[in-house]
Amino acid sequence: MTLAAQARDSQVDPDPAVPALSIEDVTHSYRERRALDHVSFDVRRGAFAVLLGLNGAGKTTLFSLVTRLYAAQHGSIFVLGFNVAREPAQALSRLGVVFQARTLDLDLSVMQNLLYHASLHGIGGREAGELAEDTLGRTQMRDRAHDKARVLSGGQMRRIEIARALLHRPSLLLLDEPTVGLDVNARKSILRYVRDLVAQENIGVLWTTHLIDEVEDGDDLIILHRGRVLAKGPAGDLVASAGAANVGGAFERIIATEQSELEA
Amino acid sequence: MTSFPMANTGAPVRTRFGLRQYAICMAGIVWREGLRFLHQRERFISALVRPLVWLFIFAAGFRQVLGVSIIPPYQTYILYEVYITPGLIAMIQLFNGMQSSLSMVYDREMGNMRTLLVSPMPRWFLLSSKLVAGTAVSLLQVYAYLIIAYFWEIEPPTLWGYLTVLPALILVGLMLGSFGLLLSSLIKQLENFAGVMNFVIFPMFFASSALYPLWRVQESSPWLYHVCLANPFTHAVELIRFAFYQQLNLQALAIVLGCGIVFMAGAILAYNPAIGLSLRRSA
């Protein structure tokens, strides 16, 4: 039995050894098309994990399963040891999510967006206000609290979305291609911001992307291709074992090896 | 940079929800819907203009053509404007229910819907809260319309009518909102909403007792009469009509309640991650 499964029935925050996210043998199909094929990996607490894959690799499907938009047809998903399908309240309350599409309500102010999010987690009144103020202060966005979301730049919106995802104090942060549509400076800024969070807060992060330059050697890397995990482990180790010079080279070799095995 | 307090450092992660948390969540959803409504002034204006056009132009034009005999709950001859007012009220709620449906499809396409669905609260509760929010907005629209209609001498027999119609409005709002929710789960893209207008809203409205009494429909087309009887919107209109005159139409109440429950159950099923949403994506 896995650590995640052992912690399943626990009502308190599980042992620190329990992964922030545990994907166990997950398979999901859209009719005949298999989007995920026996996918398994963990995201450790306090780790920055990158789920790297080309478009159509199955990243967004996996994201939808973890966030319970769909239910996995096979396999299990645990957040801090809580089964997403069986204990959604425990699992989702420990989860912060930043979706690929912009999800701020553009007609509402920044503060109103945060308060709305707090209410969805059962946090209201003065506590919600204090958490929102605190979050805005830490993201250096307090001066924009009463601006409508629609007047923010793309990078600022992303920062607010990240702040919103952290407002209820989750232990796992999921980000689905969060830098799509941002300029180079905004991309770097967001990436650095999230990496700082990991370093300081012992929060597990799963960052999905198709941009190889967002991976650093110290990251946990999961390479997803056509719904299958082709490689996983510390990025530096994967580069070394592939005999490549960098992550980009390793990615290409691993994909090419898979391709040739399929053709053989 | 200073640190965020996290769940595993003693911060208050909510995993078990009491009544207070449920109330906060529902209040938040209603509050957000209310804010969106206030920010979208054109939505409010169009919600009012639509029935007022029917009242001031259509009803005025047809007043001489469409005679209305004495039928319950009326105890005397009434003006055509008086007759169609419950229908127009129900129309406001029908459009509002569909508007909510539109906003669900829009939210889903734009991703806002996902922020709602990843809440740890039970999904049935989230959808119910959304429904309550939509109904609250429809009540604002209806009473704004009734205030204007009052100056057109369209009013209940006593002022109590404004109060007795409230439960009927809530029930009808919930029933039509549930119907909208169910529809929103079946629509894949925003563009398909035009089809909903043509194939759902207009047939529901015209094949009902909103614009003409059913005995008139029966005289001219028996089969259409049966279609009108099978249309839940007819019973929504009648429930409002009777409640406005401080009377209870039990048959209409039962049908509105029953349809509301069925539509809501269908919507909850359709938004179930294991059944509805996943299957739709597969299609």
Side-chain angles (χ1 to χ4, degrees):
Chain A
M1 185 183 275
T2 62
L3 277 171
Q6 285 169 13
R8 187 179 303 167
D9 297 326
S10 170
Q11 290 304 317
V12 295
D13 267 345
D15 188 284
V18 173
L21 175 67
S22 191
I23 309 281
E24 295 182 0
D25 198 25
V26 167
T27 295
H28 197 82
S29 302
Y30 299 117
R31 292 202 172 160
E32 283 78 34
R33 190 174 71 79
R34 182 161 285 195
L36 294 172
D37 190 2
H38 299 287
V39 169
S40 296
F41 65 86
D42 288 344
V43 175
R44 294 175 293 117
R45 292 166 100 166
F48 188 93
V50 180
L51 182 65
L52 182 65
L54 302 173
N55 291 331
K59 302 188 297 291
T60 298
T61 296
L62 185 62
F63 207 85
S64 298
L65 297 179
V66 176
T67 55
R68 206 174 160 258
L69 193 64
Y70 314 143
Q73 291 155 348
H74 180 269
S76 303
I77 298 169
F78 298 91
V79 176
L80 268 287
F82 296 102
N83 189 313
V84 170
R86 292 190 196 134
E87 301 152 301
Q90 283 93 336
L92 294 176
S93 61
R94 289 169 167 81
L95 184 66
V97 187
V98 177
F99 292 102
Q100 186 176 337
R102 298 281 189 274
T103 56
L104 288 179
D105 194 323
L106 301 181
D107 290 325
L108 303 189
S109 72
V110 168
M111 178 59 87
Q112 287 167 338
N113 269 286
L114 295 180
L115 293 178
Y116 173 60
H117 176 83
S119 73
L120 293 179
H121 284 261
I123 304 169
R126 200 165 62 183
E127 186 186 8
E130 286 170 359
L131 281 171
E133 283 283 349
D134 185 51
T135 304
L136 285 173
R138 290 168 197 278
T139 47
Q140 286 120 38
M141 296 290 284
R142 189 172 278 156
D143 58 326
R144 311 302 302 266
H146 301 292
D147 288 347
K148 286 265 181 76
R150 69 170 69 251
V151 304
L152 301 179
S153 69
Q156 288 170 330
M157 281 195 199
R158 271 298 185 227
R159 285 175 82 87
I160 295 297
E161 284 179 323
I162 293 169
R164 183 182 62 178
L166 293 167
L167 185 138
H168 61 286
R169 302 172 179 178
S171 298
L172 171 66
L173 181 62
L174 299 183
L175 302 104
D176 188 11
E177 309 215 25
T179 56
V180 164
L182 300 184
D183 62 41
V184 176
N185 288 336
R187 269 181 62 199
K188 283 182 180 168
S189 164
I190 294 291
L191 193 53
R192 179 52 45 207
Y193 174 63
V194 177
R195 286 187 185 283
D196 287 345
L197 272 177
V198 174
Q200 295 170 11
E201 310 293 348
N202 193 35
I203 186 172
V205 168
L206 180 63
W207 177 285
T208 75
T209 186
H210 62 274
L211 301 169
I212 288 164
D213 62 351
E214 292 183 351
V215 186
E216 290 183 0
D217 280 355
D219 297 340
D220 286 345
L221 180 61
I222 303 118
I223 294 178
L224 190 69
H225 185 64
R226 293 182 176 169
R228 294 175 57 214
V229 173
L230 299 188
K232 57 186 173 185
D237 291 359
L238 291 185
V239 171
S241 64
N246 52 36
V247 173
F251 181 73
E252 282 175 12
R253 285 192 184 188
I254 290 167
I255 299 285
T257 305
E258 164 75 2
Q259 202 66 36
S260 58
E261 280 176 5
L262 280 176
E263 289 167 2
Chain B
M1 190 197 306
T2 49
S3 62
F4 280 87
M6 305 310 302
N8 43 8
T9 57
V13 164
R14 298 285 192 286
T15 56
R16 292 187 172 207
F17 300 106
L19 273 180
R20 179 175 145 73
Q21 278 71 45
Y22 279 97
I24 288 170
C25 181
M26 183 178 281
I29 292 171
V30 173
W31 172 73
R32 183 222 181 202
E33 199 71 22
L35 278 178
R36 280 169 61 88
F37 178 69
L38 290 177
H39 287 144
Q40 297 170 350
R41 290 194 186 89
E42 62 279 7
R43 181 178 159 193
F44 182 59
I45 292 167
S46 70
L48 271 182
V49 165
R50 196 179 300 117
L52 290 175
V53 165
W54 281 90
L55 183 67
F56 294 147
I57 300 175
F58 180 87
F62 280 78
R63 145 191 303 195
Q64 304 302 331
V65 183
L66 298 170
V68 179
S69 66
I70 301 172
I71 50 169
Y74 307 114
Q75 294 175 335
T76 180
Y77 287 103
I78 50 161
L79 290 175
Y80 183 62
E81 288 92 326
V82 174
Y83 177 80
I84 68 164
T85 285
L88 296 183
I89 290 172
M91 182 177 82
I92 292 172
Q93 294 196 286
L94 175 65
F95 270 88
N96 187 73
M98 296 306 123
Q99 188 91 31
S100 295
S101 157
L102 176 74
S103 102
M104 296 283 275
V105 178
Y106 175 80
D107 277 2
R108 210 171 60 224
E109 282 196 3
M110 298 307 291
N112 293 329
M113 184 69 184
R114 292 186 165 197
T115 62
L116 180 73
L117 296 181
V118 296
S119 161
M121 295 287 180
R123 197 156 289 181
W124 66 265
F125 178 76
L126 296 170
L127 292 175
S128 303
S129 300
K130 185 92 177 154
L131 196 57
V132 169
T135 303
V137 167
S138 82
L139 292 180
L140 292 177
Q141 295 170 343
V142 167
Y143 277 100
Y145 165 80
L146 284 175
I147 289 169
I148 296 171
Y150 174 82
F151 293 104
W152 201 251
E153 296 181 350
I154 296 166
E155 53 190 317
T158 71
L159 288 179
W160 284 108
Y162 288 114
L163 201 60
T164 55
V165 80
L166 181 60
L169 293 176
I170 293 172
L171 279 178
V172 169
L174 292 174
M175 190 265 277
L176 294 174
S178 307
F179 185 59
L181 267 181
L182 183 60
L183 279 180
S184 77
S185 72
L186 302 173
I187 301 170
K188 283 188 194 168
Q189 288 179 320
L190 201 56
E191 289 74 22
N192 294 348
F193 197 77
V196 173
M197 292 288 288
N198 290 332
F199 292 104
V200 178
I201 294 182
F202 291 147
M204 268 187 101
F205 181 63
F206 289 114
S208 76
S209 59
L211 298 180
Y212 15 74
L214 289 187
W215 65 265
R216 271 196 170 272
V217 179
Q218 191 174 21
E219 274 182 353
S220 54
S221 171
W223 71 266
L224 182 58
Y225 169 73
H226 290 291
V227 170
C228 293
L229 274 185
N231 181 0
F233 188 75
T234 295
H235 304 283
V237 172
E238 293 311 306
L239 187 66
I240 293 170
R241 191 189 307 284
F242 277 73
F244 204 54
Y245 276 69
Q246 298 163 55
Q247 294 178 42
L248 177 62
N249 184 327
L250 271 176
Q251 184 195 16
L253 174 67
I255 291 172
V256 168
L257 260 179
C259 287
I261 290 168
V262 169
F263 294 151
M264 191 59 195
I268 289 170
L269 204 64
Y271 274 95
N272 183 311
I275 306 170
L277 287 172
S278 186
L279 287 181
R280 202 169 40 255
R281 171 75 199 272
S282 307

